[in-house]
Amino acid sequence: MLEQMGAAAKQASYQLAVLNSAKKNQALVVIADTLEANSKIILAANEQDVDLAKQNGLSDALIDRLKLTPSRLASIANDVRHVYRLTDPVGQVIDGSLLDNGLNLQRRRVPLGVVGVIYEARPNVTIDVATLCLKTGNAVILRGGKETVNTNQSMVAVIQQALQKCGLPAAAVQSIDNPDRALINELLTLDRYVDMIIPRGGAALQKLCKENATIPVIIGGIGVCHTFVDESADFDKALTIIENAKTQRPSTCNTLETLLVHRSIAAEFLPKLGAKMYSCGVTLHTSPEAMMYLTGAEVNVVQVTDAEYDSEWLSLDLNVKVVAGLDEAIEHIRTHGSAHSDAILTRSLINTNRFVTEVDSAAVYVNASTRFTDGGQFGLGAEVAVSTQKLHARGPMGLEALTTYKWIGYGDDLIRR
Amino acid sequence: MLEQMGAAAKQASYQLAVLNSAKKNQALVVIADTLEANSKIILAANEQDVDLAKQNGLSDALIDRLKLTPSRLASIANDVRHVYRLTDPVGQVIDGSLLDNGLNLQRRRVPLGVVGVIYEARPNVTIDVATLCLKTGNAVILRGGKETVNTNQSMVAVIQQALQKCGLPAAAVQSIDNPDRALINELLTLDRYVDMIIPRGGAALQKLCKENATIPVIIGGIGVCHTFVDESADFDKALTIIENAKTQRPSTCNTLETLLVHRSIAAEFLPKLGAKMYSCGVTLHTSPEAMMYLTGAEVNVVQVTDAEYDSEWLSLDLNVKVVAGLDEAIEHIRTHGSAHSDAILTRSLINTNRFVTEVDSAAVYVNASTRFTDGGQFGLGAEVAVSTQKLHARGPMGLEALTTYKWIGYGDDLIRR
């Protein structure tokens, strides 16, 4: 079945690759309108998923995540209209010149071809990914969470209907509705047809993809993020940034997980931190040294375990460790971080330069919250995923990350000497 | 053993990442000088390899490829001096702006970290890859062909000596000398330390890497290249280009393997092609239809097999197929090509535009030889590999392909609203 799906996607990708932006944008408008026109069908399908989720005892948080309401669906349709307004990177000439050998060489941005996206129970991702791929001339094979099978099926049917209305191939957007996990492995080795795999999910999914894919995979989305409070930091401002980085939206990958505090300020800073975090409802997981300064009733503190330094809390929990200085902070980040987002709070220019050069993460910040690592915040207009690997794209991936380039050489009946 | 090597390479990469170009260039000069100063040791080690190769009955071509002479070694040292003169991409600011949210954001080019390169019995690759990695601030783990173990060992020892002379870590350039193939698989899963794998070898090596690596792999170097002779082509000029693409250096990956000829000119063009190829010593492997026009004594012609359309000749052999027109030519290239280099010979603007848009290869040419696909020819100054995949880098990879970027966000005590 996947073989067929892949072949159809590849054929569709050839058709999409030659479309100009106007044609692709027209399809986006029709998709948004068709989504709204079919809202009853989609909401009914979603209700089935929600009922099943309740029967299966899914948590309220998960159910809320998969639930669609008329206003959520309207907002999804509006997101499609937002994609309409983004600049299409396809066709851009990256560089070019007339070479000494006579070749008139251009490097032109082109679609990747076929993208495979594996994600969880978030119905908005289905539309989001489908439209970003369409905008960049890519065909897409979606594999959403099994909890949203009915919603996804109805949404993809609506998209395909809209595509056909515009004279575009329905196979440009396909979804794997069979929840059998073996199909994920099959998708990961469909290298004859699929050009890139984006796993949007937890560490287990990332690992599965990394180990089994024969197709290039964009690893990302796991954020073990750090903030180092240098000895010269402004305490009040540091506390504001830490509160923002930890509590603004704790379930996100750019949330702060471990705070590293310079030893020379630990005795003065940590009691203030303890009080502030207590008032925000944050539990501190601290090294023994840090705990010495976190006593009293107005602080939630437990001892940190080694494993906690290596994983995401995604909750109102924060590791705290006292370090001897910048060297130990960098060393800790290299050892325990996920190369996602790390910050230094400092007034030292030298330490700033060292931190941004020596910390090898997708995003490094100076006197700013790690929460900024986001396609929208970075001005990319959209976010396909956040990559924590180094090839192709790093950090928030916008539309450009859904493209590659080709070299085009024009000759005047030219041979190589 | 590899675990240790990987950890040492990662540590070395941190030291290399902070070096400025002057410091890296100084090391390149010392490496070139030390190579020349130690030429006797290297040539003696190479002689051991050559003797072993003879005992093992390797072909003359292979022995010639692994053999070093004083002049070849001098030319390798000069290549190092050439790398000195290339522009270092590390530290370049790709883009940046002051965003509405207050963040001063920069995207800065940085080294990848640790690169693993698996290659065959070409001693020049050892120096070539090591110096290109050093120039871009990357540590490298080399795994050369078992036939050149002694040569590589002596060369890497010389490089390490030069690095230490410059106060740089010897682990910046390491080689796996144990010929056990199991170590390749171990290298391919060393994802804690290695950021990218480049396999420089045949289809079997590429497949091994694709299937077993948990590290991003740059697939490439396999060139099933096509040239389509459109009905409006200038015959004489077409024959010159075809001769160049097929015979200038038949063992290279950008050599023409299959010629597609428009049916409307087949009767007139193919006899001329047959005569020309005969005079160049090229054997034609033709479809039955093409063979009808390739009769007489002055032509080497046999019938093509389906499998021959899918693989590289790397020799003075050329597949020839008559096609109904541009559509069938594009379809053939999509089905049988390796997405490396493909050309159209035509006088039609419309067919030119269709060909360059619809043929999804790393390099597409109009009225030029496929032989141009090369880092040197493209003005990149160096060539790390030729990628035929679409992520990260496509076609000839220069120094830039050995880098990634990081996002650096400067805030004035900034939180996300």
Side-chain angles (χ1 to χ4, degrees):
Chain A
M1 188 198 76
L2 277 199
E3 174 76 19
Q4 258 184 343
M5 216 177 222
K10 188 53 105 186
Q11 280 304 322
S13 79
Y14 294 140
Q15 289 177 255
L16 296 179
V18 302
L19 299 180
N20 62 30
S21 300
K23 185 82 187 158
K24 291 183 284 190
N25 279 338
Q26 186 206 340
L28 291 173
V29 171
V30 176
I31 287 174
D33 294 346
T34 315
L35 277 174
E36 288 183 336
N38 289 273
S39 62
K40 278 199 185 130
I41 296 170
I42 294 170
L43 291 171
N46 183 253
E47 219 170 284
Q48 278 185 283
D49 286 331
V50 171
D51 287 348
L52 274 169
K54 284 179 182 161
Q55 284 167 35
N56 293 330
L58 263 68
S59 73
D60 286 351
L62 267 178
I63 289 173
D64 181 62
R65 190 190 284 181
L66 70 83
K67 191 175 170 58
L68 285 179
T69 61
S71 81
R72 282 185 182 181
L73 193 56
S75 130
I76 289 174
N78 277 329
D79 286 347
V80 178
R81 296 189 179 102
H82 171 71
V83 174
Y84 173 99
R85 287 189 296 272
L86 299 177
T87 302
D88 178 6
V90 170
Q92 286 172 356
V93 176
I94 300 172
D95 46 32
S97 56
L98 180 58
L99 299 168
D100 288 347
N101 57 22
L103 197 65
N104 192 336
L105 188 69
Q106 275 187 11
R107 201 153 53 122
R108 189 186 293 177
R109 207 169 273 295
V110 296
L112 281 169
V114 179
V115 179
V117 184
I118 305 167
Y119 56 106
E120 292 167 340
R122 291 180 182 273
N124 63 310
V125 172
T126 305
I127 302 294
D128 203 28
V129 166
T131 50
L132 293 172
C133 285
L134 180 62
K135 177 85 185 191
T136 46
N138 292 289
V140 65
I141 298 177
L142 301 161
R143 204 285 187 184
K146 63 179 187 304
E147 301 80 7
T148 44
V149 160
N150 293 299
T151 314
N152 286 346
Q153 236 171 352
S154 70
M155 283 176 154
V156 169
V158 165
I159 293 176
Q160 292 185 333
Q161 192 186 319
L163 288 168
Q164 287 176 308
K165 205 182 290 178
C166 301
L168 299 181
V173 178
Q174 299 176 85
S175 73
I176 302 174
D177 298 323
N178 185 332
D180 184 358
R181 283 184 69 86
L183 291 176
I184 294 186
N185 284 54
E186 215 180 302
L187 176 61
L188 294 175
T189 55
L190 212 61
D191 50 35
R192 281 182 56 208
Y193 303 118
V194 182
D195 297 290
M196 175 166 86
I197 294 283
I198 304 178
R200 287 180 53 159
L205 177 64
Q206 307 282 333
K207 187 165 178 284
L208 177 86
C209 290
K210 192 161 80 168
E211 289 177 357
N212 294 289
T214 58
I215 304 165
V217 175
I218 298 291
I219 296 296
I222 309 293
V224 181
C225 303
H226 302 78
T227 295
F228 169 56
V229 188
D230 199 4
E231 55 184 339
S232 61
D234 179 304
F235 286 4
D236 282 344
K237 287 174 173 165
L239 291 173
T240 305
I241 292 173
I242 293 163
E243 178 189 4
N244 182 260
K246 181 68 246 181
T247 70
Q248 202 213 13
R249 214 170 140 207
S251 63
T252 56
C253 61
N254 54 22
T255 290
L256 173 63
E257 308 294 3
T258 298
L259 190 72
L260 303 166
V261 178
H262 196 295
R263 179 163 294 141
S264 71
I265 56 163
E268 201 187 340
F269 180 72
L270 285 176
K272 293 181 204 290
L273 176 81
K276 179 80 166 187
M277 290 297 106
Y278 182 80
S279 74
C280 303
V282 173
T283 302
L284 302 179
H285 300 251
T286 71
S287 65
E289 185 179 348
M291 198 176 284
M292 295 194 313
Y293 308 111
L294 291 161
T295 51
E298 302 283 277
V299 56
N300 288 324
V301 60
V302 294
Q303 201 165 315
V304 71
T305 66
D306 271 358
E308 285 170 353
Y309 283 135
D310 295 321
S311 52
E312 291 182 288
W313 281 116
L314 302 172
S315 58
L316 288 174
D317 293 84
L318 177 66
N319 305 320
V320 182
K321 186 184 182 185
V322 173
V323 293
L326 182 58
D327 284 321
E328 192 183 339
I330 292 172
E331 180 61 31
H332 180 97
I333 293 170
R334 284 176 178 169
T335 311
H336 300 282
S338 64
H340 191 296
S341 302
D342 299 291
I344 184 172
L345 309 181
T346 189
R347 290 296 180 258
S348 157
L349 183 58
I350 288 180
N351 286 356
T352 290
N353 290 341
R354 278 199 57 204
F355 189 87
V356 303
T357 307
E358 296 181 29
V359 171
D360 186 24
S361 298
V364 287
Y365 295 98
V366 180
N367 296 324
S369 166
T370 54
R371 285 278 297 131
F372 282 104
T373 307
D374 171 272
Q377 292 291 321
F378 276 15
L380 304 181
E383 181 175 290
V384 182
V386 177
S387 159
T388 54
Q389 50 147 45
K390 296 183 187 171
L391 267 69
H392 188 63
R394 205 173 184 202
M397 294 166 61
L399 289 179
E400 201 179 284
L402 289 175
T403 66
T404 180
Y405 54 81
K406 66 166 64 154
W407 300 88
I408 305 178
Y410 296 94
D412 189 10
D413 300 311
L414 199 67
I415 59 170
R416 178 167 170 183
R417 305 281 168 186
Chain B
M1 187 200 77
L2 277 199
E3 173 77 19
Q4 257 184 344
M5 217 177 222
K10 187 54 105 184
Q11 279 304 321
S13 79
Y14 295 139
Q15 289 177 256
L16 298 179
V18 303
L19 299 180
N20 61 32
S21 300
K23 185 80 188 163
K24 292 184 283 190
N25 279 338
Q26 186 206 340
L28 291 173
V29 171
V30 176
I31 287 174
D33 294 348
T34 315
L35 277 174
E36 288 182 336
N38 289 274
S39 61
K40 278 199 186 130
I41 296 171
I42 295 170
L43 290 171
N46 183 252
E47 219 170 284
Q48 278 184 282
D49 286 330
V50 170
D51 287 346
L52 275 169
K54 284 179 183 161
Q55 284 167 36
N56 294 331
L58 264 67
S59 72
D60 286 353
L62 267 177
I63 290 173
D64 181 62
R65 189 190 285 183
L66 70 83
K67 190 174 170 58
L68 285 178
T69 61
S71 81
R72 282 186 181 182
L73 192 57
S75 130
I76 288 174
N78 277 331
D79 286 346
V80 177
R81 296 189 179 100
H82 169 71
V83 174
Y84 173 99
R85 287 190 296 271
L86 298 177
T87 303
D88 178 5
V90 170
Q92 286 172 354
V93 176
I94 300 173
D95 46 32
S97 57
L98 180 58
L99 299 168
D100 288 347
N101 57 21
L103 197 66
N104 192 336
L105 188 69
Q106 274 188 12
R107 202 152 54 121
R108 190 185 292 177
R109 207 169 272 296
V110 297
L112 280 170
V114 179
V115 178
V117 183
I118 306 167
Y119 56 105
E120 291 167 341
R122 291 180 183 273
N124 62 311
V125 172
T126 306
I127 303 294
D128 202 28
V129 166
T131 50
L132 293 172
C133 284
L134 180 61
K135 176 85 186 193
T136 46
N138 293 289
V140 66
I141 299 177
L142 301 161
R143 203 286 188 183
K146 62 178 188 305
E147 301 81 6
T148 44
V149 160
N150 292 300
T151 314
N152 286 345
Q153 236 171 352
S154 70
M155 282 177 154
V156 169
V158 164
I159 293 177
Q160 292 185 334
Q161 191 185 320
L163 288 169
Q164 287 178 307
K165 206 182 289 178
C166 301
L168 299 182
V173 178
Q174 299 176 86
S175 73
I176 303 173
D177 298 323
N178 184 331
D180 184 357
R181 284 185 67 87
L183 290 176
I184 294 187
N185 283 54
E186 216 180 300
L187 176 61
L188 294 176
T189 55
L190 213 60
D191 50 36
R192 282 181 56 205
Y193 304 117
V194 181
D195 297 290
M196 176 167 84
I197 295 283
I198 304 178
R200 286 180 51 160
L205 176 64
Q206 306 283 333
K207 187 163 178 286
L208 177 85
C209 291
K210 193 160 80 167
E211 288 177 357
N212 295 288
T214 59
I215 304 165
V217 174
I218 298 291
I219 296 295
I222 309 293
V224 182
C225 303
H226 301 78
T227 294
F228 169 55
V229 188
D230 198 5
E231 55 184 340
S232 61
D234 179 304
F235 286 5
D236 283 345
K237 288 175 174 164
L239 291 173
T240 306
I241 292 173
I242 293 163
E243 177 189 7
N244 182 261
K246 182 69 246 180
T247 70
Q248 202 214 14
R249 215 171 140 206
S251 64
T252 57
C253 60
N254 54 22
T255 290
L256 173 64
E257 307 295 3
T258 298
L259 190 72
L260 303 166
V261 178
H262 196 296
R263 179 163 295 140
S264 70
I265 55 162
E268 200 186 341
F269 181 71
L270 285 175
K272 293 181 203 292
L273 176 81
K276 179 79 166 187
M277 291 297 106
Y278 183 80
S279 75
C280 303
V282 173
T283 302
L284 302 180
H285 300 252
T286 72
S287 64
E289 184 178 348
M291 198 174 285
M292 294 193 312
Y293 307 111
L294 291 160
T295 50
E298 302 282 278
V299 56
N300 288 324
V301 61
V302 294
Q303 199 165 315
V304 70
T305 67
D306 270 358
E308 286 170 353
Y309 283 135
D310 295 322
S311 52
E312 291 182 288
W313 280 117
L314 303 171
S315 59
L316 288 175
D317 293 84
L318 178 66
N319 305 322
V320 181
K321 187 185 181 184
V322 173
V323 292
L326 182 58
D327 284 322
E328 192 184 339
I330 292 172
E331 180 61 32
H332 180 97
I333 294 170
R334 285 176 178 169
T335 311
H336 300 283
S338 65
H340 192 296
S341 302
D342 300 291
I344 184 172
L345 309 181
T346 188
R347 290 297 181 255
S348 156
L349 183 57
I350 288 180
N351 287 357
T352 290
N353 290 341
R354 278 198 57 203
F355 190 88
V356 302
T357 307
E358 296 181 29
V359 170
D360 187 25
S361 298
V364 286
Y365 295 98
V366 180
N367 296 324
S369 166
T370 54
R371 286 277 297 131
F372 282 105
T373 307
D374 172 271
Q377 292 291 321
F378 276 15
L380 304 181
E383 181 175 290
V384 182
V386 177
S387 159
T388 53
Q389 50 147 44
K390 296 183 187 172
L391 268 71
H392 189 63
R394 205 172 185 203
M397 293 166 61
L399 289 179
E400 201 179 284
L402 289 175
T403 67
T404 180
Y405 55 81
K406 66 166 64 154
W407 299 88
I408 305 177
Y410 296 94
D412 189 8
D413 300 311
L414 199 66
I415 60 170
R416 176 167 170 183
R417 305 280 169 187

